[in-house]
Amino acid sequence: MKGIGAVLIDIDGVLTVSWKALPGTVAAMERLRAAGVPLLLVTNTTSRTREAVAGRLAGEGFPVGVEDILTAPAATAAYLRAHHPDARCLLINSGEVRPDLAGVRLVGEEAAAAGREAPDVVVFGGAGEEFGYRALNTAFRHLQRGARLVAMHRNLYWRTADGLDLDTGAFLPGLERAAGVEAVVTGKPAGAFFATALAHLGAAAADTLMVGDDIESDVLAAQRHGLTGVLVRTGKYLPETHRAATGTPDHVLDSFAALPALLGLPGAPEQPAP
């Protein structure tokens, strides 16, 4: 490929599964680094801070630092600071990401459930045990009285070492319908998320490639915003989801390990046609 000046890379399912490096992914990223390709890891991961993500990836051998990572919580914090300054926010999320929510005023879940502190914004992160009836009903009641709804993403599921697990997108539509509201999504596939990533790299959409395992939120969303999309057959990839997708990826690879060949980097093994 010619004319690609930067690469955006999803993490979970593309580079790792359950934070373990997929075969050939470390070597592929090292090749990108050696070729001087600007890159940014863009993820809807909501269970870890940017610092923690960088640490886990570095521990697996990936040549990345905190500055190379944009997470949905970090993008959400930027959105809340810009659009809801000083708002009281109820965070429902699996994982500790508060350090990446600097400048956001969070209210306690117990206080919100008891009605002692009413949030102005309900913020959904990633699903887990925290997404029980009590938490969802508390969110529902505050939305009924006028609170805004912000979601870090709409992912239906993600890949773990044990298989696919349900994510926020399995719960969010029902809550929206019950409360008669629509969530503002701040992570992928939101255009603002891709714009933030491009601005971070100082890259133009037409010169940038997005690599992901989620055909809708990663690949086709990026293509709608002018980027080149690359779908990998790892992580949450399913043939039936690929066939039923709303569009066609620009490129399909067996894994991220094949990306250097697609980019024509020196020394990369030749990539067979999909």
Side-chain angles (χ1 to χ4, degrees):
M1 292 183 64
K2 295 188 180 296
I4 295 297
V7 179
L8 305 182
I9 308 164
D10 184 36
I11 298 175
D12 191 24
V14 175
L15 300 178
T16 65
V17 167
S18 293
W19 299 104
K20 296 298 181 183
L22 290 168
T25 55
V26 172
M29 184 169 288
E30 289 174 339
R31 193 172 295 278
L32 292 178
R33 288 295 201 196
V37 177
L39 57 86
L40 184 67
L41 277 56
V42 291
T43 175
N44 277 350
T45 295
T46 55
S47 61
R48 298 175 186 270
T49 62
R50 293 170 64 233
E51 183 176 5
V53 169
R56 287 300 300 263
L57 292 175
E60 288 293 304
F62 291 100
V64 298
V66 175
E67 69 282 357
D68 299 313
I69 297 168
L70 174 64
T71 64
T76 301
Y79 173 83
L80 292 171
R81 289 192 299 265
H83 297 275
H84 300 286
D86 301 321
R88 294 164 299 190
C89 300
L90 171 63
L91 174 65
I92 302 176
N93 181 59
S94 181
E96 179 52 68
V97 294
R98 291 171 188 260
D100 278 353
L101 296 174
V104 177
R105 181 182 173 190
L106 298 175
V107 304
E109 186 176 339
E110 292 297 325
R116 296 192 303 272
E117 195 168 10
D120 304 302
V121 183
V122 175
V123 182
F124 271 26
E129 296 296 329
E130 294 79 3
F131 276 57
Y133 179 81
R134 185 182 187 217
L136 293 174
N137 200 49
T138 295
F140 172 57
R141 288 181 174 177
H142 287 296
L143 293 172
Q144 282 184 298
R145 66 160 193 80
R148 303 293 182 89
L149 179 59
V150 172
M152 296 185 188
H153 60 73
R154 286 185 177 275
N155 294 359
L156 290 170
Y157 47 79
W158 79 96
R159 172 75 64 181
T160 73
D162 298 323
L164 296 176
D165 282 359
L166 287 177
D167 210 341
T168 304
F171 303 92
L172 189 59
L175 184 61
E176 289 176 310
R177 184 176 177 183
V181 301
E182 184 174 351
V184 172
V185 178
T186 51
K188 294 176 293 181
F193 186 89
F194 289 109
T196 298
L198 292 172
H200 180 90
L201 290 176
D207 303 328
T208 303
L209 183 149
M210 171 70 211
V211 186
D213 65 327
D214 187 318
I215 190 169
E216 297 289 349
S217 294
D218 291 339
V219 181
L220 299 182
Q223 291 178 195
R224 284 193 293 271
H225 295 291
L227 290 79
T228 298
V230 176
L231 177 67
V232 293
R233 297 189 183 101
T234 55
K236 67 170 65 173
Y237 174 87
L238 294 171
E240 55 268 35
T241 304
H242 187 175
R243 290 192 295 269
T246 58
T248 303
D250 292 317
H251 302 276
V252 181
L253 301 176
D254 284 338
S255 76
F256 180 79
L259 183 64
L262 179 66
L263 295 177
L265 299 184
E270 186 174 345
Q271 166 65 18

